[in-house]
Amino acid sequence: MDYKIIVALDTNNLKKAKKLIKTLWLRVKFFKIGLELINTGKAPELIKYINKLGGKVFYDIKLNDIPNTVGRTVKVISRLGVWGFTIHALAGQEAIRAAVHNKGRSKVIGVTILTSSSASVSKILQLVRILAKEGVDGVVCSAREASVVKRFGLKIITPGIRPKWAQKNDQKRTAIPKEAITAGSDYLIIGRPITDSANPLEALIKIIEETET
Ligand code: C5P
């Protein structure tokens, strides 16, 4: 397996998040903590829990603010012990620069356009160009743009992943896991196809197997 799955823990329930991590632990080591959990105030505890197990945290805070605020906030984030955190490319060049400057040992991941919105490839490339110039470590984009974004030499992280048997929910620019990997994705963010499943581990294993056939 030369790509990695990041499971999106989109919940406000710490207990539920920990239970999911335990259930999936043998097959996945990357977990995404998003705005919902961050706003419960329980994120630091969950980060410690995941780090103690030996896992990695993708801190999906989606920063979008003025450069000074971004820089100062990133200083705080850099002490949390997360593997990486996200910033909107639309925050602009200066804010991205402030994030890169203050990132400490965490990776800066730029979000182009949310996969729940439609976007032209040229708009996405324009944003990726700015992100690459400012030295971010990776880019979040849909699998449909992955092959063009790959040219910039950044790690590619793709949400909007939907196996054929899963519901699309609110995602628009979706791809099946295998397509995303073929397009050059290094990390697949997968939430509801796993977390809403009656048997999350079975769903995860099914996804992994489908990418290997
Ligand atoms: O449940 P689902 O697989 O759609 O979850 C996708 C996750 O990826 C969500 O947590 C969402 O916030 C996140 N995400 C996204 N599109 C982006 C960036 C992050 O869907 N561009």
Side-chain angles (χ1 to χ4, degrees):
M1 193 159 120
D2 52 2
Y3 67 95
K4 293 186 167 64
I5 289 176
I6 302 176
V7 173
L9 300 169
D10 287 324
T11 172
N12 56 25
N13 185 323
L14 186 66
K15 254 193 176 164
K16 199 176 154 199
K18 286 184 178 174
K19 192 168 166 233
L20 253 170
I21 294 164
K22 267 199 198 140
T23 306
L24 304 173
W25 179 249
L26 284 179
R27 307 301 294 258
V28 72
K29 305 290 178 234
F30 281 78
F31 296 93
K32 184 172 94 74
I33 298 180
L35 294 173
E36 192 180 350
L37 207 125
I38 290 168
N39 281 290
T40 64
K42 304 275 171 58
E45 185 182 339
L46 192 59
I47 294 165
K48 277 195 197 119
Y49 178 83
I50 294 169
N51 284 345
K52 220 171 166 186
L53 283 173
K56 293 194 163 128
V57 175
F58 183 84
Y59 195 66
D60 197 12
I61 182 97
K62 292 196 178 75
L63 296 170
N64 192 357
D65 215 316
I66 59 170
N68 179 58
T69 306
V70 167
R72 295 174 70 100
T73 305
V74 168
K75 246 186 211 153
V76 177
I77 295 173
S78 73
R79 296 186 206 112
L80 288 174
V82 298
W83 171 79
F85 64 89
T86 50
I87 178 168
H88 273 291
L90 291 166
Q93 193 156 357
E94 297 267 312
I96 299 163
R97 190 173 302 161
V100 171
H101 186 73
N102 291 290
K103 68 176 186 173
R105 284 196 276 167
S106 302
K107 294 184 192 309
V108 181
I109 312 293
V111 176
T112 53
I113 302 283
L114 298 178
T115 41
S116 54
S117 311
S118 349
S120 68
V121 174
S122 66
K123 175 71 192 166
I124 285 163
L125 283 180
Q126 183 199 335
L127 295 172
V128 173
R129 236 170 254 130
I130 298 169
L131 290 167
K133 192 165 167 235
E134 294 307 327
V136 305
D137 302 285
V139 171
V140 176
C141 64
S142 98
R144 299 185 186 188
E145 296 108 31
S147 57
V148 260
V149 174
K150 193 89 183 162
R151 283 191 236 136
F152 292 85
L154 299 165
K155 289 283 177 216
I156 297 193
I157 299 152
T158 49
I161 302 295
R162 287 293 179 272
K164 282 210 179 92
W165 41 266
Q167 284 181 15
K168 282 208 168 184
N169 313 107
D170 52 354
Q171 296 286 11
K172 285 207 177 73
R173 290 177 289 137
T174 61
I176 62 168
K178 203 166 182 168
E179 275 169 359
I181 296 160
T182 310
S185 183
D186 301 291
Y187 298 86
L188 310 186
I189 296 179
I190 312 178
R192 289 163 288 183
I194 295 170
T195 55
D196 281 358
S197 158
N199 188 333
L201 181 62
E202 203 176 272
L204 172 64
I205 291 172
K206 198 168 165 195
I207 290 170
I208 295 170
E209 282 173 0
E210 281 174 7
T211 63
E212 284 167 352
T213 53

